[in-house]
Amino acid sequence: MNQKISAKIHWKNQLDDFFIKGKYRRTHSWELESGSQLKASSSIHIVPIPYSNPEFIDPEEAFVCSIASCHMLFFLSIAAKKRIDVLQYDDSPIAILSKNHSKKVAVTKIILNPKVVTREETSKETLENIHELAHQSCFIANSINSKIHINHQ
């Protein structure tokens, strides 16, 4: 399968002092193939306000959400094929930034904390099995080096 996925990123200088070290705004926009637009910024944990905007999504948040979302979508697909009626799925994913083996700052660990509610009681072992299958199937998880841990509820 060869499928191209594209987006557009747009940033424009909003200040007159771009050449002063670090004194420029990191806010920008993402335009997706669907036409949806998102306001994005660097993380306020990395670049302080006013150069970052805490109301906008940052790349690290997008990264951890994309992994959690991919996992959830495969989980739901597998559960549906197994005829398990999922009523609700919630997650509070966490990305851990630290230095990797090359001493570079990286997302070194991702923790998924899915909570699944099914119509009929489903064994913990069955849900864990579906989570493992979802993890193995997730395109994004298969594309990264970060460790992904799933806290089964």
Side-chain angles (χ1 to χ4, degrees):
M1 161 163 74
N2 285 330
Q3 183 176 355
K4 179 180 137 191
I5 299 167
S6 63
K8 294 178 183 176
I9 308 294
H10 178 73
W11 173 87
K12 186 172 181 175
N13 189 4
Q14 301 165 348
L15 302 171
D16 291 333
D17 52 1
F18 180 76
F19 292 107
I20 299 172
K21 186 176 182 182
K23 304 291 184 186
Y24 61 93
R25 299 204 192 278
R26 274 55 167 204
T27 55
H28 56 285
S29 64
W30 298 351
E31 183 178 339
L32 311 179
E33 284 181 295
S34 66
S36 297
Q37 292 192 5
L38 296 169
K39 293 179 179 179
S41 175
S42 54
S43 169
I44 62 168
H45 302 291
I46 298 168
V47 178
I49 298 169
Y51 308 109
S52 294
N53 187 328
E55 295 177 13
F56 297 174
I57 191 168
D58 69 57
E60 295 80 15
E61 290 171 326
F63 182 66
V64 73
C65 285
S66 68
I67 290 167
S69 182
C70 183
H71 181 90
M72 178 197 69
L73 293 169
F74 274 105
F75 180 95
L76 296 174
S77 172
I78 294 163
K81 287 176 186 164
K82 292 183 175 286
R83 306 196 52 75
I84 295 170
D85 194 1
V86 178
L87 298 177
Q88 187 168 326
Y89 184 110
D90 294 293
D91 198 349
S92 301
I94 299 167
I96 305 297
L97 280 175
S98 61
K99 290 194 176 178
N100 64 15
H101 63 281
S102 300
K103 308 283 188 244
K104 305 266 186 188
V105 175
V107 174
T108 56
K109 185 175 185 181
I110 295 151
I111 304 165
L112 303 182
N113 296 292
K115 292 182 181 154
V116 178
V117 178
T118 58
R119 184 172 304 281
E120 295 173 5
E121 189 169 325
T122 306
S123 74
K124 182 177 179 180
E125 294 78 26
T126 297
L127 294 175
E128 286 176 0
N129 179 262
I130 296 171
H131 278 298
E132 182 57 34
L133 292 170
H135 178 64
Q136 292 172 11
S137 301
C138 176
F139 308 142
I140 299 169
N142 290 328
S143 302
I144 64 170
N145 293 323
S146 301
K147 300 290 182 203
I148 300 175
H149 179 78
I150 303 165
N151 286 332
H152 303 285
Q153 301 294 318

